[in-house]
């Protein structure tokens, strides 16, 4: 007896279409904005824990996942680096003025 074709596959429980879990995260503008907010802080998964951009890659291609990776890189490395540089600069200016 074989184990069957679905052994080891993750599926969205209770959904008719595999990407229903993804569609509900983007069904309205507020849901889409909140999902992007969550993804920018690292919680980019569906309700059952499967990675959101795995679904996006399967449905729309790798280009969108690469755009997300570029967005994440710019946010984490670029923007937060600028914010911390401003903080360090103001701290140094305060200590040298005293």
């Amino acid at each position: 007896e074989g184990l069957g074709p679905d052994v080891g596959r993750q599926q969205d429980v209770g959904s008719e279409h595999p990407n229903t879990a993804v569609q509900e995260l983007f069904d309205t503008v507020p849901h889409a904005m909140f999902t992007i907010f969550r993804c920018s802080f690292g919680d980019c998964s569906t309700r059952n824990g499967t990675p959101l951009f795995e679904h996006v890659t399967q449905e729309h291609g790798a280009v969108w996942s690469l755009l997300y990776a570029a967005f994440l890189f710019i946010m984490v490395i670029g923007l937060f680096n600028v914010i911390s540089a401003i903080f360090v600069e103001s701290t140094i200016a305060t200590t040298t003025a005293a």
Side-chain angles (χ1 to χ4, degrees):
E1 288 182 15
L3 295 176
D6 290 332
V7 172
R9 281 181 85 191
Q10 293 180 342
Q11 295 180 349
D12 293 325
V13 178
S15 65
E16 297 172 10
H17 186 269
N19 288 325
T20 303
V22 176
Q23 291 172 353
E24 73 182 15
L25 295 173
F26 293 98
D27 60 351
T28 64
V29 173
H31 279 162
M33 291 174 66
F34 184 65
T35 301
I36 296 299
F37 174 77
R38 283 181 42 216
C39 286
S40 65
F41 287 101
D43 180 26
C44 203
S45 60
T46 59
R47 288 183 185 202
N48 65 356
T50 59
L52 183 64
F53 278 87
E54 173 106 10
H55 295 282
V56 173
T57 301
Q58 290 174 357
E59 194 72 24
H60 301 288
V63 172
W64 293 105
S65 290
L66 290 174
L67 285 174
Y68 170 69
F71 165 76
L72 188 64
F73 180 79
I74 289 169
M75 290 301 292
V76 170
I77 302 299
L79 184 63
F80 293 142
N81 191 16
V82 170
I83 292 170
S84 63
I86 291 170
F87 176 74
V88 168
E89 182 180 351
S90 67
T91 304
I92 290 173
T94 303
T95 58
T96 56

